[in-house]
Amino acid sequence: MSNEKMIQHIYWRAGFGLSPTEWQQKKSWTKKKAINDLFTKAYQAQKIVLREEVTSLADTMENLSMEEKIRLDKKAKSQLIYQGSDWVERMASPDESPFLEKMCLFWHGHFACITKEPVLGAKQLNTIRKNALGNFYDLLLGMSKDVAMIRFLNNQQNRKSSPNENFARELMELFTIGRGHYKEQDVKEAARAFTGWSSDKKAEYIFKIRQHDFGRKTFMGKTGNFDGDDILKIILERKETAQFISRKAYRFFVNEKVDEKHVNQLSDIFYNSNYDISTLMRSIFESDWFYDSKNIGVRIKSPVELIAGLIRGLNIKFNNPKTIALIQKALGQVLFVPPNVAGWEGGKAWIDNSTLMTRLNLANYIYLATDVSLELKNELETKGKIKNIKKIDATIDFDPLIKYCGIDSYENITKTLSDFFISPKINLAREMMQPFLIKSNQEDFIKILTMRLLTLPEYQLC
Amino acid sequence: MKRSRRNFIKGSALASTSVMLPNFLKAFSTPLMSSRSGKILVVVQFSGGNDGLNTIVPFNNDIYYQLRPTVAIPKKEVIQLDNGLGFNPAMQALKSLYDNGEMSIINNVGYPNPDRSHFRSMDIWQTGSNSDEYLSSGWLGRYLDQNCLGCDIAHHALEVDDDLSMALKGTKRSGFAVADPNLLKRTASNEFLKTIAHHHDHEHEENVAYLYKTLTDTQSSADYLAEKYKTHRSTVNYPSSQISNKLRRVAKLITADADTKIYYVNHGGFDTHVGQKKRQAKLLKQYAEAMAAFTKDLKQNNLFEDTLVMTFSEFGRRVKQNGNHGTDHGAANNVHLIGGKLKKAGFYNEGPNLSNLENGDLIYDIDFRKIYANILEDWLGANSNAILGKGFRNLGII
């Protein structure tokens, strides 16, 4: 494995690829230097802020007129779109920490939660940002007290008099230990422990003491007057939890096909570090097996990774943030709107005939600003006509790429560009490129070749 | 331009007038296609939660009128059918299907512990899961996974939109999404994509190979569908609406004897929290008129008997109206089946019991997966246990 390939691999898996300028600078770095670069930048990242604090929370709308409600609702919806698009642009920006954004994307899919409230979505994302590379216990506690999550999983309705098990069940099934490692009785008892973990009218977390069940609970073989915090601690004492999270991280960052030996190594490390997420991630990136050829260029990029990578690689400016939202929808991954609490399935599930065509043609759509005409279904709760993707209003800045290629032979430029853009092994058959190798000026050649490379199915993988 | 015999006939005066044209044309293209085998299933999804109570109206029920002072459909406007139930007046176009015994209505369909979120409940309907279970494949996708006859063809199950619903996603195979076959053909078969599909190195890692396979499958399906799409020109007048356009596209492909056996069509906008009556009437009218044209089209081509339509929504709505002349998210709902070969037409069961509600919502007595089981076993000839899990007794309507 060439050093260059390893650098490309780590920046794609721990981030969203590199811009031509970054690539030029970093491709000769050592792995160690790259890993330090990624971690250092991630620790320096700041909280995100909304473009505008707008809310359509029912509680704040009580005394408003119908027109006012509709206006606020509309505003909240477009704010939600901005929020997802802004996040994609942060992922793509060389000024931000790609690794932190990647970790947030991982946890965003892990703690999958649907919210229509931009304010709550931003709050949740900030909780994730704060703990994404910290301790898993803090992250878990933060998510258990997160208002969007509390509302999404009905903990708002979890009261001593009538417990609601939704949060307690997903906590174990999807967020921590996984199926098969707890009993129905554990779900019931955990639900009792989380009674009263609620939110107030201002959408702040609140412990409703009168709704909380202070009685004795027997949970996973232990008995006591447990509250939610105790439940989390008991779950984390179980090694299966470290295994569950490590496996998920392995499948996300390394390979969907799990090597049990490596996952066992990771979960030992994670467990012994007392659930320190940075330790887990460092041991992935510092391992030798992470750079095995069977782990390189085999991951199908998620839609959001694909878009962010394109923006970064081509220095794309979208003139309308809505476009990024529509592409997310067309490709099947809308940030803040996972399909359900189990999150995005990933891998081959991203691919069907329609998403593949859009993926392969995406760079060209952007380049040509063509009429895309995709007929997409409406969101379930919206009325009116289907909003089709009409035109992708964006510009590409080829200058860095042209500068990077320098003056060179067409054969060499082909190699330079394909090394930069393509992760899997590739054999560019002459027949494939021949018709496009005709003499044109070098700038046009670079542009056309770039578009061709981005149309290859191989570009869909990292 | 080379003028093929088919083009010649199509362009002739005969083409525009003859009702017989589709079959006539078929005669020229038979060598290319397999003969019709099996049945066609068309699933129509009402998105947003259609109010079942104002679709199939219990016009003799006092509670209905008490709880919905401004939203209820007045008795005199209801298209009265049987058992004190009748159609919303906007569904006049479906009356003759009902009268002919070509429609079956199943009341009180739902599932245990109903979820009132659009997303979640739609997810449950599309995956066929329990409400506390998360599946990442759809019920029809799992049918495709079962190696059914012809399932290896990419467009065996087709959604008439450009995004594919979970219902049609399997673990090994998936359905095919296409709003406009002609447009897809242009995108899928541009020169460069054709070139790489032919000239790529055939030794690939599994995921890369999967993408290339999906690409070539898409190209051949796009070519095939665009070709089929040209074959049939309907003589039926379809009204102008999105649902009508979609059903017209479905009819085109069915009539051209395309080897697609399952069609999935979405009709959205049913989330009627505010000013329900007008909005729902508009949507139901679009649906009813489109369906009337669609069934007429199929009948003219002697294909109605081979076709089954199932129409559903992710949930019904609360019995009591809200403060905005609308209704909020509810639970159990009715499901409609339309077809030329129903075993039990008319009302399958009694209408909802409005004096026994749960949190103000209708209580289900038929699990929606029993309808799926019936369709899978008796229409598609599949083993429903393997697709839905055990315990969903076949309803015996189909």
Side-chain angles (χ1 to χ4, degrees):
Chain A
M1 196 53 52
S2 72
N3 189 73
E4 209 174 286
K5 203 82 206 156
M6 288 196 278
I7 295 297
Q8 180 188 44
H9 181 53
I10 190 169
Y11 276 99
W12 255 112
R13 297 302 181 87
F16 302 88
L18 293 168
S19 71
T21 315
E22 290 175 301
W23 174 237
Q24 213 169 347
Q25 178 200 357
K26 295 180 180 179
K27 65 180 183 178
S28 56
W29 283 11
T30 61
K31 285 190 297 189
K32 200 176 161 203
K33 189 168 177 188
I35 294 167
N36 284 337
D37 171 52
L38 287 163
F39 275 85
T40 312
K41 243 183 169 172
Y43 294 137
Q44 290 162 352
Q46 305 294 310
K47 269 183 152 184
I48 56 152
V49 283
L50 283 175
R51 291 185 183 200
E52 191 186 353
E53 289 265 335
V54 49
T55 173
S56 63
L57 283 168
D59 308 327
T60 60
M61 304 233 284
E62 258 165 23
N63 301 318
L64 298 178
S65 71
M66 201 61 196
E67 291 76 34
E68 194 64 4
K69 278 181 192 172
I70 291 170
R71 198 184 63 81
L72 272 179
D73 202 50
K74 265 195 178 159
K75 261 193 134 176
K77 269 193 188 122
S78 56
Q79 192 61 235
L80 206 60
I81 288 170
Y82 289 142
Q83 189 170 335
S85 305
D86 287 353
W87 189 5
V88 172
E89 292 197 314
R90 266 199 313 282
M91 293 172 185
S93 165
D95 302 329
E96 304 282 339
S97 159
F99 181 39
L100 179 67
E101 301 303 340
K102 193 64 167 266
M103 288 306 300
C104 290
L105 181 61
F106 172 65
W107 292 123
H108 181 65
H110 180 74
F111 292 104
C113 174
I114 300 169
T115 177
K116 290 189 195 113
E117 277 304 323
V119 176
L120 297 189
K123 209 182 259 185
Q124 183 180 72
L125 188 52
N126 275 328
T127 304
I128 291 178
R129 282 174 81 84
K130 192 174 150 202
N131 301 296
L133 282 164
N135 193 286
F136 182 64
Y137 163 76
D138 295 327
L139 177 59
L140 192 58
L141 184 64
M143 296 313 283
S144 307
K145 292 183 171 177
D146 178 73
V147 176
M149 187 63 85
I150 284 172
R151 294 182 177 195
F152 178 52
L153 292 181
N154 310 99
N155 217 57
Q156 196 85 347
Q157 289 95 42
N158 187 13
R159 304 182 182 100
K160 184 182 178 180
S161 55
S162 61
N164 184 307
E165 296 169 4
N166 203 3
F167 175 74
R169 182 179 305 279
E170 304 321 346
L171 170 70
M172 284 181 271
E173 180 181 334
L174 297 166
F175 300 160
T176 57
I177 196 164
R179 274 192 183 205
H181 301 295
Y182 57 89
K183 300 195 177 72
E184 270 308 294
Q185 193 57 30
D186 294 324
V187 174
K188 289 202 164 64
E189 296 289 277
R192 288 177 59 211
F194 280 101
T195 47
W197 290 44
S198 192
S199 67
D200 64 12
K201 286 198 165 191
K202 288 187 196 121
E204 298 288 342
Y205 169 78
I206 183 176
F207 179 63
K208 290 186 176 162
I209 199 160
R210 283 164 59 192
Q211 293 178 0
H212 184 69
D213 181 345
F214 285 94
R216 280 162 72 84
K217 293 121 192 156
T218 298
F219 177 73
M220 291 186 171
K222 301 193 174 189
T223 303
N225 296 56
F226 301 139
D227 68 4
D229 197 11
D230 299 317
I231 297 292
L232 299 183
K233 285 176 177 150
I234 295 170
I235 294 174
L236 293 182
E237 280 168 20
R238 296 275 298 272
K239 196 149 185 207
E240 294 94 326
T241 302
Q243 274 161 353
F244 185 82
I245 301 298
S246 303
R247 172 179 290 268
K248 195 152 183 185
Y250 185 93
R251 296 191 68 214
F252 188 90
F253 290 97
V254 186
N255 199 325
E256 282 214 289
K257 286 196 199 122
V258 170
D259 184 322
E260 296 297 337
K261 205 177 76 207
H262 299 154
V263 167
N264 287 337
Q265 269 173 26
L266 287 179
S267 47
D268 284 346
I269 293 168
F270 193 36
Y271 190 75
N272 293 333
S273 75
N274 200 18
Y275 291 93
D276 181 56
I277 302 166
S278 285
T279 305
L280 172 69
M281 295 315 298
R282 256 187 197 279
S283 46
I284 291 177
F285 301 139
E286 287 173 357
S287 75
D288 290 334
W289 44 256
F290 180 67
Y291 304 91
D292 282 351
S293 61
K294 68 169 185 187
N295 291 329
I296 290 182
V298 294
R299 176 182 154 77
I300 297 177
K301 294 169 190 169
S302 83
V304 157
E305 289 164 346
L306 178 75
I307 306 166
L310 263 185
I311 298 177
R312 203 178 192 108
L314 295 180
N315 214 349
I316 299 172
K317 295 271 172 295
F318 281 95
N319 299 321
N320 180 355
K322 267 196 177 149
T323 316
I324 300 181
L326 285 170
I327 300 171
Q328 289 180 48
K329 183 155 169 18
L331 297 181
Q333 185 182 35
V334 182
L335 293 171
F336 299 99
V337 193
N340 57 48
V341 65
W344 292 283
E345 167 83 356
K348 288 199 188 89
W350 294 124
I351 304 299
D352 58 53
N353 71 298
S354 167
T355 58
L356 182 64
M357 293 330 294
T358 309
R359 278 171 171 256
L360 299 182
N361 287 310
L362 187 57
N364 281 290
Y365 289 154
I366 295 168
Y367 179 49
L368 302 168
T370 38
D371 188 345
V372 183
S373 290
L374 281 175
E375 290 183 27
L376 303 178
K377 287 184 285 294
N378 254 355
E379 294 300 329
L380 292 170
E381 79 283 28
T382 52
K383 47 189 163 193
K385 285 216 169 148
I386 292 169
K387 285 184 205 110
N388 292 338
I389 295 192
K390 275 281 186 294
K391 219 180 185 97
I392 293 186
D393 186 9
T395 51
I396 297 177
D397 176 11
F398 280 101
D399 288 351
L401 212 51
I402 291 166
K403 214 169 126 195
Y404 170 55
C405 286
I407 310 279
D408 211 335
S409 69
Y410 289 161
E411 279 72 12
N412 285 346
I413 288 175
T414 307
K415 187 176 182 320
T416 304
L417 288 177
S418 114
D419 284 347
F420 170 56
F421 282 117
I422 307 290
S423 298
K425 266 200 217 110
I426 189 168
N427 210 342
L428 289 174
R430 269 202 92 69
E431 296 90 331
M432 280 167 68
M433 292 301 164
Q434 195 87 55
F436 315 104
L437 285 170
I438 41 156
K439 297 259 180 284
S440 50
N441 75 55
Q442 184 167 319
E443 282 193 12
D444 285 348
F445 174 73
I446 290 170
K447 288 181 188 172
I448 292 168
L449 184 65
T450 298
M451 286 304 128
R452 297 302 174 193
L453 288 169
L454 298 178
T455 309
L456 292 175
E458 281 86 347
Y459 180 70
Q460 302 300 317
L461 293 108
C462 69
Chain B
M1 187 184 119
K2 207 178 130 200
R3 209 168 152 86
S4 73
R5 197 161 176 192
R6 187 190 304 175
N7 279 330
F8 172 70
I9 290 160
K10 222 174 167 179
S12 71
L14 181 71
S16 53
T17 51
S18 172
V19 180
M20 292 301 290
L21 182 65
N23 290 326
F24 191 56
L25 275 175
K26 253 190 247 169
F28 292 98
S29 45
T30 31
L32 289 170
M33 51 181 136
S34 55
S35 63
R36 171 173 303 288
S37 63
K39 312 284 188 192
I40 306 285
L41 172 68
V42 181
V43 178
V44 178
Q45 172 180 297
F46 283 176
S47 300
N50 176 39
D51 180 21
L53 274 176
N54 274 19
T55 306
I56 304 298
V57 185
F59 59 82
N60 283 334
N61 195 309
D62 294 339
I63 305 173
Y64 169 72
Y65 289 101
Q66 280 157 19
L67 293 177
R68 297 186 161 197
T70 65
V71 167
I73 311 286
K75 186 172 176 174
K76 61 177 191 317
E77 291 175 22
V78 175
I79 301 167
Q80 302 190 3
L81 305 170
D82 301 295
N83 306 339
L85 298 170
F87 282 160
N88 183 304
M91 303 208 300
Q92 179 64 46
L94 293 180
K95 175 75 163 45
S96 67
L97 286 173
Y98 181 88
D99 292 340
N100 291 341
E102 294 163 342
M103 183 168 182
S104 173
I105 293 147
I106 310 151
N107 289 304
N108 316 320
V109 183
Y111 53 88
N113 303 313
D115 200 298
R116 286 162 186 81
S117 141
H118 293 290
F119 296 92
R120 183 58 193 141
S121 196
M122 190 56 95
D123 202 43
I124 290 166
W125 272 85
Q126 293 201 359
T127 60
S129 75
N130 294 318
S131 68
D132 61 354
E133 179 188 24
Y134 301 93
L135 300 181
S136 52
S137 62
W139 70 286
L140 292 167
R142 291 195 298 278
Y143 165 72
L144 299 176
D145 281 344
Q146 296 267 301
N147 289 317
C148 49
L149 190 70
C151 280
D152 49 332
I153 300 167
H155 53 266
H156 185 89
L158 190 151
E159 176 157 10
V160 193
D161 263 311
D162 280 323
D163 47 345
L164 190 68
S165 293
M166 178 61 95
L168 296 169
K169 289 182 185 168
T171 39
K172 285 175 281 177
R173 295 202 170 111
S174 283
F176 196 86
V178 55
D180 180 346
N182 291 325
L183 205 64
L184 176 69
K185 192 186 166 179
R186 287 206 295 278
T187 6
S189 302
N190 74 49
E191 197 198 337
F192 186 69
L193 286 179
K194 282 274 185 199
T195 310
I196 60 173
H198 282 116
H199 291 291
H200 69 99
D201 186 353
H202 289 267
E203 297 281 306
H204 292 303
E205 176 274 331
E206 188 191 326
N207 278 342
V208 182
Y210 184 74
L211 297 188
Y212 272 105
K213 185 178 183 307
T214 309
L215 172 62
T216 47
D217 283 354
T218 304
Q219 289 173 334
S220 57
S221 285
D223 290 348
Y224 175 85
L225 293 169
E227 190 55 37
K228 285 284 153 194
Y229 207 57
K230 280 191 259 175
T231 319
H232 172 65
R233 199 165 290 170
S234 175
T235 53
V236 171
N237 221 344
Y238 279 82
S240 128
S241 69
Q242 278 185 351
I243 179 73
S244 177
N245 278 336
K246 290 178 183 178
L247 287 173
R248 189 173 49 81
R249 290 170 183 176
V250 173
K252 262 177 177 251
L253 293 172
I254 295 177
T255 320
D257 202 12
D259 43 21
T260 298
K261 299 300 171 202
I262 297 170
Y263 294 89
Y264 205 91
V265 173
N266 181 59
H267 184 36
F270 285 93
D271 197 21
T272 50
H273 290 281
V274 180
Q276 169 172 312
K277 270 176 107 168
K278 202 174 144 204
R279 159 140 220 100
Q280 194 201 18
K282 185 178 161 204
L283 293 169
L284 290 178
K285 187 165 190 280
Q286 286 174 345
Y287 164 71
E289 290 178 352
M291 191 51 75
F294 176 71
T295 50
K296 189 177 168 197
D297 201 355
L298 293 181
K299 282 177 182 175
Q300 282 186 2
N301 290 283
N302 292 320
L303 290 165
F304 187 54
E305 293 224 324
D306 293 336
T307 309
L308 175 74
V309 181
M310 180 189 84
T311 303
F312 79 98
S313 192
E314 73 267 35
F315 44 61
R317 305 189 79 84
R318 187 127 321 149
V319 180
K320 190 177 189 298
Q321 73 175 69
N322 65 20
N324 299 312
H325 308 293
T327 51
D328 296 324
H329 303 180
N333 204 351
N334 40 61
V335 168
H336 314 161
L337 298 172
I338 293 171
K341 263 194 176 163
L342 298 170
K343 272 193 197 145
K344 194 174 189 316
F347 286 98
Y348 174 80
N349 55 348
E350 300 224 335
N353 179 354
L354 300 191
S355 52
N356 180 25
L357 302 176
E358 194 177 78
N359 305 321
D361 286 329
L362 301 179
I363 299 173
Y364 88 103
D365 53 46
I366 292 180
D367 194 298
F368 69 102
R369 289 163 291 193
K370 289 186 179 175
I371 305 173
Y372 289 1
N374 198 175
I375 293 172
L376 288 166
E377 282 170 14
D378 298 302
W379 197 252
L380 301 175
N383 173 359
S384 74
N385 282 347
I387 293 165
L388 302 171
K390 287 197 173 108
F392 299 109
R393 206 164 45 81
N394 187 324
L395 286 183
I397 304 176
I398 301 145

